[in-house]
Amino acid sequence: MLYPESIEQKLGFDKLRERLKQACISPLGQGFVEKIKFSENFGLVEKLVSQTAEMQRILEIGENFPSQNYIDATSYLKRAAIEGMLLTQPEFSDIKVSLQTIRLILRFFENQEPESFPILTDYAKNIRVEKSITDSIDRIIDDRGQIRDSASSELSRIRKRLISEQTGIRKKLDTILKSAKSNGWIGDDTSLTVRNGRMVIPVAAEHKRKLRGFIHDESATGQTVFIEPTDVFESNNEIRELEYEERREINRILLELTAQLRPFVPDLQKAYQFLGLMDFLRAKAKLAAEMGAINPPFSNQQFISWRDARHPLLHLSFQKQGKKVIPLNIELKEKQRILIVSGPNAGGKSVSLKTVGLIQYMFQCGLLVPVAEGSSMGFFQNIFIDIGDEQSLENDLSTYSSHLTNMRHFLTLSNRRTLFLIDEFGTGTEPGLGGAIAEAILENLTRSGAFGVINTHYTNLKILADKTDGLVNGAMRFDGEHLEPLYQLEIGRPGSSFAFEIASKIGLPEAVISRAKEKLGTQQVSFEKLLKELDIERRVFSEKNIEVGIKERKLARQLADYTSLKENLENNEKKIVNEAKQKAKNLISDANQLIENTIREIKENKAEKEKTKTVRKEIETFGKKNLELEVVVEPVPAEDVYEPESGDIVPGSYVKIIGQTAIGEVLSLKGKDVEIRIGDLKSNVKLNRLEKVSNKTYRAATGEKKVKIAAKGVDLNERMMNFSFNLDMRGKRGEEALGMVDQFMDNAIMLGYDELRIVHGKGDGILRTLVRNHLRGYSHVKEMQDEHPDRGGAGVTIVKLK
């Protein structure tokens, strides 16, 4: 069941229907588009979607699937079914080419494996186009759609006589034409023409009495008359009679051909229904390709589990503009059946709501849906929506009355197989009363077991969702720092309306905003503030998680490199030791051999003095040669060229930031603040953090002689990626902490941050005072304040920059 009747217009499905019509080749396919409707039959939905998915695969694999001559001949067949009726030559021509298309489609499926496209192949098996009837039509109608001369022997005879007579009359007329030209009755460029189906000669009006014949017509000016000469009068009559005979024979042939066609009309009507279905499925598959749609797993259960779902119409529109739709991730299940979405106006709540309704609706109409792989589709028998303004002067309905009328239907008809969508729940009346009624309605809808998505600004509904089973909060993400919507749905937490922040951004007086906060009460203001702070806190921890992830990956790589290096060193060490042992063994063996030889020679020579000296010298030479240590030369590390320079730092001086390698040029001095340029970047740095360097150092670092500076060591992208607006300096000493603050502030100013967070701890407040006094020396600092007590209080300083 659907509610209201205008659900297609409210969801935008009527626009998709029009796109499908435009994608169809013939009225046959467009007729199927007109019949599209939401189905409550699970098996039928599964079949319709599977048919479309099969056609999508056919188009994707680039098979030679017919794409022409999808002609609607069903009206011709209805006439052909009546006894005594005949179809015309153009009608048979249309039937011929369209039947050829049907036969090509059937042949396509015959040549496929049965499991390739099971549903369409099975459907094609039930379609019959008798070859005898297509052969009969082809025997009569040629490829140009004309009746063949060989359609009958009589027609062949008539056309031969007709050609003969036309040839004879043309020869006679040519003779008369030449004579008239020579007599000057007509111009040299005049040629034969036809009037009232008879061949005539154009003659100047003043010479019309000079040529005997019958005048058939005259020109608009009356200066030319068209005369049929008396000599060809009988021949023209003969041609006219032969044309009548030809027409009668053609009608007889077409009547006979129609009679041959008549018994096959039921099968042919079924074949044309098949042709229309193919046209319709091609249109659906083409639309799916444009949207990047798929056929996700489908279950006969109530749930929504979508990844990267895109609003179909928005996706098609953005695609033409070269933009991308921010996708939607949403999951509704038994314990989280109803999603309460909150967030600021123009944050994307209504688009998300319509995305849910339109995708579910179009899937149960048999269309593929624009979601990512990993998504799953559930099945709902009822879809109820309350979107837009249904106020009516005729029915005496106000905006709020129309909403309540819709709620009455929802409460009466909702069950566990219902999906309902409500935009701006409870609005249109006094907020307190509207919020109470909305809460009561929501409690009732929750007990019904229905699934749904609700957009609201009411705080009491957010609180109810937080403590009620079956309900879950969701928020359209919003950049609280720049006050810009992100159009991303985040399930699990409520969103803030950011009303005060948006009002402040557009320039509403601060006094008015403060007064509004007083009137609203501290509880509501605190709630909205808490939501904003939670969003900021989430971003802080998100950045921390990214930072930790990067460090973990670096650590993992370094650990892997260390392990690999350690294994290589150990293996190399073992190889070296083994080689040393082997060399030692060989050396000992050689030494033993030498010693034995020496002893033997001494004994043989009976210890002669000269011989003993010679033998000893050989042993010493062996020792020096084999046991001498090799000299290892250690590489000397290269040093960077760095020459400090004395003197005061003035505009035009080259300077180096202490502790860094970046070298730049001084642009201006303002007290203790120095504006420097490093490459194309400008930054303000404290004077005590700079050191003057020589021109030689500058040239060595930059490779330039003058102002054209290449910023050595400064990578803005890397700084932006590694920078966090949250600085933790707990446990640091004063001098070290101030150095961290200076570097932190330099990067923040360079990257354009307007709010920073410095964690210094509470303790005795010494570090807090030191940091804040130091920050007061920065002209970019607008104000400083303690963090919220729940997130550190006086132990954290929030720094707002100009």
Side-chain angles (χ1 to χ4, degrees):
M1 179 181 180
L2 301 173
Y3 181 85
E5 292 182 358
S6 60
I7 187 170
E8 285 198 2
Q9 290 74 29
K10 288 186 172 295
L11 290 177
F13 187 79
D14 57 329
K15 294 183 176 63
L16 284 180
R17 194 187 291 271
E18 284 302 315
R19 282 182 171 270
L20 282 173
K21 281 186 180 180
Q22 294 171 10
C24 289
I25 301 173
S26 75
L28 284 168
Q30 292 174 352
F32 276 91
V33 175
E34 289 288 350
K35 295 175 185 176
I36 291 178
K37 66 177 183 177
F38 178 85
S39 176
E40 301 171 13
N41 184 319
F42 176 81
L44 178 59
V45 172
E46 190 172 36
K47 179 181 178 182
L48 293 175
V49 175
S50 298
Q51 284 179 348
T52 309
E54 288 187 7
M55 181 57 74
Q56 185 187 40
R57 291 202 304 276
I58 290 173
L59 299 184
E60 283 177 351
I61 61 178
E63 290 283 352
N64 189 22
F65 194 83
S67 59
Q68 295 180 353
N69 296 323
Y70 283 72
I71 300 172
D72 183 5
T74 51
S75 60
Y76 309 156
L77 297 177
K78 289 179 182 178
R79 286 214 327 278
I82 302 172
E83 194 71 33
M85 294 293 289
L86 64 84
L87 300 182
T88 65
Q89 175 183 319
E91 290 172 343
F92 268 116
S93 177
D94 286 347
I95 290 175
K96 175 181 177 177
V97 295
S98 55
L99 287 180
Q100 286 175 347
T101 299
I102 294 173
R103 289 179 65 84
L104 286 172
I105 293 173
L106 296 178
R107 193 174 302 134
F108 172 86
F109 288 113
E110 287 172 3
N111 295 333
Q112 302 298 319
E113 295 294 330
E115 62 274 8
S116 298
F117 313 106
I119 298 177
L120 296 182
T121 301
D122 190 54
Y123 196 176
K125 288 178 181 177
N126 298 320
I127 305 302
R128 293 179 58 194
V129 178
E130 289 293 335
K131 190 173 185 298
S132 59
I133 189 62
T134 56
D135 289 346
S136 295
I137 295 173
D138 189 55
R139 186 176 59 81
I140 302 299
I141 307 294
D142 64 16
D143 293 337
R144 296 177 292 112
Q146 303 298 317
I147 303 293
R148 298 181 188 272
D149 293 346
S150 60
S152 72
S153 57
E154 179 65 13
L155 181 63
S156 177
R157 182 190 66 79
I158 292 170
R159 287 184 171 174
K160 284 179 181 177
R161 282 193 58 198
L162 191 59
I163 292 171
S164 176
E165 289 293 334
Q166 288 173 339
T167 303
I169 197 173
R170 181 171 287 279
K171 287 180 179 179
K172 290 180 182 179
L173 286 172
D174 284 340
T175 302
I176 296 170
L177 188 67
K178 288 178 182 178
S179 176
K181 286 181 180 179
S182 63
N183 290 326
W185 302 340
I186 60 176
D188 291 338
D189 58 344
T190 304
S191 61
L192 298 176
T193 185
V194 176
R195 284 292 185 275
N196 301 322
R198 304 172 79 89
M199 298 187 75
V200 295
I201 297 175
V203 179
E206 63 266 24
H207 301 299
K208 65 181 178 181
R209 300 296 180 190
K210 297 177 181 178
L211 184 64
R212 294 176 59 199
F214 179 78
I215 298 176
H216 282 273
D217 198 3
E218 69 176 5
S219 64
T221 61
Q223 295 180 358
T224 303
V225 293
F226 299 92
I227 300 176
E228 179 185 2
T230 306
D231 293 348
V232 297
F233 190 76
E234 289 300 325
S235 297
N236 265 331
N237 286 342
E238 182 68 22
I239 289 173
R240 179 59 63 90
E241 287 180 9
L242 286 171
E243 287 175 347
Y244 290 151
E245 286 183 35
E246 180 188 31
R247 191 180 306 163
R248 287 193 297 270
E249 179 62 17
I250 287 174
N251 284 344
R252 186 194 67 78
I253 292 170
L254 293 176
L255 187 64
E256 184 180 299
L257 185 59
T258 305
Q260 293 179 28
L261 179 72
R262 191 168 293 117
F264 302 103
V265 165
D267 286 342
L268 293 178
Q269 286 177 328
K270 195 174 179 181
Y272 277 99
Q273 283 293 105
F274 175 73
L275 183 64
L277 176 63
M278 294 300 104
D279 187 18
F280 174 56
L281 292 178
R282 283 184 76 259
K284 290 203 292 183
K286 287 174 66 179
L287 180 64
E290 290 178 15
M291 296 187 298
I294 64 169
N295 178 21
F298 183 36
S299 302
N300 192 7
Q301 296 176 351
Q302 288 67 56
F303 68 90
I304 288 177
S305 180
W306 301 344
R307 302 288 175 270
D308 292 343
R310 305 173 302 282
H311 190 286
L313 295 173
L314 203 58
H315 176 80
L316 293 171
S317 175
F318 277 24
Q319 200 172 46
K320 290 182 178 178
Q321 302 173 38
K323 298 191 293 185
K324 288 187 178 181
V325 175
I326 297 176
L328 177 73
N329 293 321
I330 182 169
E331 186 171 10
L332 298 182
K333 50 190 178 182
E334 185 60 34
K335 293 184 179 180
Q336 294 181 350
R337 299 188 309 277
I338 301 176
L339 175 64
I340 310 299
V341 182
S342 49
N345 289 322
K349 298 192 301 297
S350 296
V351 173
S352 297
L353 191 81
K354 289 182 179 180
T355 301
V356 173
L358 184 53
I359 287 180
Q360 188 66 43
Y361 188 90
M362 63 190 290
F363 189 81
Q364 290 191 227
C365 286
L367 276 69
L368 304 185
V369 288
V371 297
E373 295 292 344
S375 302
S376 299
M377 296 297 299
F379 178 68
F380 296 93
Q381 286 189 336
N382 308 315
I383 295 183
F384 302 153
I385 67 170
D386 177 35
I387 300 174
D389 188 356
E390 293 289 347
Q391 62 179 327
S392 169
L393 293 176
E394 294 178 1
N395 299 327
D396 194 26
L397 286 178
S398 68
T399 301
Y400 189 61
S401 298
S402 70
H403 285 308
L404 290 182
T405 301
N406 292 339
M407 292 306 102
R408 183 187 64 195
H409 282 83
F410 286 21
L411 294 173
T412 305
L413 302 172
S414 291
N415 55 36
R416 298 186 64 82
R417 300 176 74 84
T418 298
L419 174 66
F420 66 84
L421 308 170
I422 305 175
D423 194 23
E424 300 297 343
F425 193 29
T427 57
T429 188
E430 196 277 318
L433 298 176
I437 293 174
E439 186 171 343
I441 292 172
L442 181 55
E443 289 174 345
N444 198 300
L445 288 173
T446 305
R447 287 194 292 271
S448 73
F451 288 70
V453 180
I454 295 173
N455 292 343
T456 187
H457 289 287
Y458 286 143
T459 302
N460 61 318
L461 299 184
K462 304 176 191 177
I463 296 172
L464 179 66
D466 194 48
K467 63 183 182 180
T468 305
D469 289 339
L471 301 181
V472 61
N473 271 308
M476 297 308 299
R477 290 190 58 198
F478 193 80
D479 187 345
E481 183 178 348
H482 300 97
L483 297 180
E484 293 176 350
L486 300 176
Y487 304 111
Q488 297 172 349
L489 175 62
E490 184 176 353
I491 296 178
R493 69 175 186 87
S496 169
S497 297
F498 287 89
F500 293 129
E501 289 77 8
I502 294 173
S504 179
K505 181 182 180 182
I506 65 175
L508 209 62
E510 196 64 37
V512 174
I513 297 173
S514 300
R515 182 62 177 156
K517 290 180 179 180
E518 292 174 8
K519 287 181 175 293
L520 186 60
T522 57
Q523 182 177 358
Q524 179 66 27
V525 173
S526 299
F527 183 79
E528 291 293 325
K529 184 181 178 185
L530 180 61
L531 289 177
K532 178 190 174 185
E533 290 171 346
L534 284 173
D535 187 67
I536 294 174
E537 192 75 11
R538 185 196 59 75
R539 284 196 292 119
V540 170
F541 284 106
S542 176
E543 290 185 0
K544 280 290 182 185
N545 286 337
I546 294 173
E547 186 179 340
V548 169
I550 292 171
K551 289 181 178 178
E552 285 181 348
R553 287 193 293 274
K554 286 183 178 178
L555 182 61
R557 285 198 301 270
Q558 290 174 352
L559 181 61
D561 293 343
Y562 167 77
T563 304
S564 175
L565 183 61
K566 182 172 177 292
E567 290 177 355
N568 289 335
L569 288 173
E570 289 176 350
N571 290 334
N572 289 336
E573 183 183 7
K574 290 177 181 177
K575 289 179 182 178
I576 292 170
V577 170
N578 289 336
E579 289 176 0
K581 288 180 177 179
Q582 185 62 43
K583 286 182 179 179
K585 286 175 67 176
N586 294 337
L587 188 61
I588 291 171
S589 176
D590 293 343
N592 288 336
Q593 185 67 38
L594 180 62
I595 291 169
E596 288 176 2
N597 292 337
T598 301
I599 293 171
R600 187 175 64 253
E601 287 185 15
I602 290 174
K603 286 181 178 180
E604 289 175 354
N605 293 288
K606 297 179 181 180
E608 290 182 3
K609 202 169 188 180
E610 286 299 322
K611 189 64 177 175
T612 302
K613 281 183 180 180
T614 303
V615 171
R616 282 180 177 176
K617 190 172 182 181
E618 288 178 359
I619 294 176
E620 288 176 2
T621 303
F622 176 82
K624 286 180 181 180
K625 180 180 178 182
N626 292 284
L627 300 179
E628 186 177 0
L629 297 178
E630 295 183 2
V631 178
V632 177
V633 180
E634 295 289 341
V636 179
E639 294 184 358
D640 292 336
V641 177
Y642 169 63
E643 291 182 4
E645 189 170 276
S646 59
D648 295 334
I649 294 176
V650 296
S653 298
Y654 298 121
V655 293
K656 173 178 175 291
I657 299 175
I658 298 172
Q660 297 186 22
T661 59
I663 295 176
E665 180 187 7
V666 175
L667 298 178
S668 63
L669 280 83
K670 297 178 182 178
K672 294 184 178 181
D673 292 329
V674 182
E675 184 181 12
I676 65 171
R677 178 171 60 191
I678 303 174
D680 293 330
L681 301 178
K682 294 181 181 179
S683 179
N684 289 327
V685 184
K686 292 295 181 182
L687 183 60
N688 59 4
R689 296 192 58 229
L690 298 176
E691 182 179 8
K692 191 173 181 182
V693 298
S694 66
N695 291 347
K696 180 180 178 183
T697 303
Y698 168 74
R699 287 195 301 272
T702 63
E704 298 288 342
K705 294 183 179 181
K706 207 59 185 160
V707 186
K708 199 175 179 181
I709 303 173
K712 180 182 176 183
V714 176
D715 189 334
L716 188 58
N717 291 330
E718 183 179 354
R719 286 198 179 188
M720 189 175 292
M721 183 179 68
N722 295 327
F723 182 76
S724 169
F725 68 91
N726 191 72
L727 175 64
D728 190 346
M729 58 171 56
R730 287 174 292 185
K732 304 295 183 183
R733 298 184 65 182
E735 186 177 351
E736 184 182 6
L738 294 182
M740 291 174 66
V741 169
D742 285 336
Q743 188 172 1
F744 179 62
M745 289 295 292
D746 291 343
N747 289 333
I749 293 168
M750 185 181 296
L751 298 176
Y753 276 76
D754 57 6
E755 186 170 302
L756 306 172
R757 193 171 183 271
I758 300 178
V759 183
H760 41 62
K762 296 179 181 177
D764 295 328
I766 298 173
L767 188 57
R768 171 177 177 272
T769 303
L770 190 65
V771 167
R772 292 198 177 186
N773 288 337
H774 187 67
L775 287 172
R776 289 189 182 97
Y778 279 85
S779 59
H780 293 82
V781 175
K782 180 180 179 182
E783 63 175 312
M784 294 174 282
Q785 63 186 40
D786 289 346
E787 176 62 285
H788 190 279
D790 293 340
R791 293 189 301 281
V796 179
T797 294
I798 301 297
V799 183
K800 294 186 178 181
L801 305 180
K802 295 178 181 177

